[in-house]
Amino acid sequence: FTFACGDKSVALVITQKQKNALTVTSSKFEVEAEGGEVQIEVKANVNFEYVIDESAKDWITYEGTRAMKTSTLTFKIAENDNTEKREGKITIKSGGISEIISVCQNAAEPVLNVTESYEVDYNDTELNIEFESNLECVVTIPEDCEWISIADDTRAIGTHSIKLSITQNTSINSRTANISIHDTEKTVSKTIAITQGGETHFDVNLSEAGLLSSYIT
């Protein structure tokens, strides 16, 4: 049907299904990254069942049916801690007829939490840097920093921890290097300051101090 008024018009489409049919109120749902519920109202004059895509069964789960004139199927949507949007499909079907519902969930915001300064003594040491992130992160050490390197066994610690090897500081002065931790795409980045203390010397010349002659007397 077309409704016209002057130079403006609006179309109304009426679709009639077959005798044995089922209808859903919406064929697409948008869900925030935090997760939640989607409720699918199904109007049907036949028995029906639902099928969740195999690829979405770990984050879409059936919660139950609420008995009404129209059946309401409730599905729980798990939190999406990934930085990529995801989509799953639920199929409502009865015999040879079916309706497909898409569930689209927004991506989580990139997260990178890490302590941004460390202090170590002058000795050879290893430093574990732990961080919280939903990204795959790496460490970049400045080219002119020869006293900090990534330990060979850092992968044994886990994806949220990096081990650094720090060589002995033979100077009496402390030294500081700023290293970077970031994801592979450099979406987020944090600078970490590592300060190593200087080696302490206690050599004393007693003669120059005027103490040796006093002690002998």
Side-chain angles (χ1 to χ4, degrees), residues 126-196:
E126 289 186 334
L127 175 64
N128 290 340
I129 296 179
E130 297 184 351
F131 60 93
E132 295 179 356
S133 181
N134 53 4
L135 303 165
E136 182 180 352
C137 293
V138 295
V139 164
T140 300
I141 301 173
E143 293 183 359
D144 59 351
C145 179
E146 299 179 351
W147 52 281
I148 299 177
S149 61
I150 299 176
D152 293 337
D153 59 343
T154 188
R155 293 183 179 275
I157 303 175
T159 57
H160 291 83
S161 184
I162 295 175
K163 183 188 291 185
L164 300 178
S165 294
I166 301 175
T167 62
Q168 182 178 357
N169 183 9
T170 57
S171 170
I172 61 173
N173 299 317
S174 63
R175 56 187 179 183
T176 300
N178 292 319
I179 69 173
S180 172
I181 182 169
H182 53 82
D183 65 296
T184 53
E185 300 297 328
K186 294 189 176 180
T187 306
V188 292
S189 177
K190 293 289 182 70
T191 299
I192 303 172
I194 300 177
T195 301
Q196 185 180 34

Side-chain angles (χ1 to χ4, degrees), residues 41-136:
E41 289 190 356
V42 183
K43 297 180 180 180
N45 56 7
V46 292
N47 293 327
F48 62 87
E49 60 181 333
Y50 70 89
V51 178
I52 302 173
D53 275 359
E54 285 293 332
S55 60
K57 283 186 176 181
D58 60 337
W59 59 278
I60 300 178
T61 53
Y62 179 61
E63 291 281 279
T65 302
R66 300 182 182 180
M68 299 170 61
K69 291 183 179 179
T70 58
S71 300
T72 302
L73 307 182
T74 302
F75 294 85
K76 181 179 180 181
I77 310 301
E79 181 180 0
N80 183 12
D81 56 5
N82 199 293
T83 54
E84 295 182 0
K85 188 175 182 178
R86 61 186 179 183
E87 180 178 357
K89 288 181 171 58
I90 303 171
T91 302
I92 311 296
K93 64 180 184 178
S94 176
I97 57 177
S98 63
E99 291 285 344
I100 298 177
I101 297 94
S102 295
V103 180
C104 300
Q105 189 173 25
N106 293 332
E109 292 294 326
V111 174
L112 176 55
N113 296 323
V114 63
T115 301
E116 297 184 29
S117 64
Y118 292 86
E119 292 185 1
V120 296
D121 63 27
Y122 69 91
N123 291 305
D124 287 327
T125 187
E126 289 186 334
L127 175 64
N128 290 340
I129 296 179
E130 297 184 351
F131 60 93
E132 295 179 356
S133 181
N134 53 4
L135 303 165
E136 182 180 352

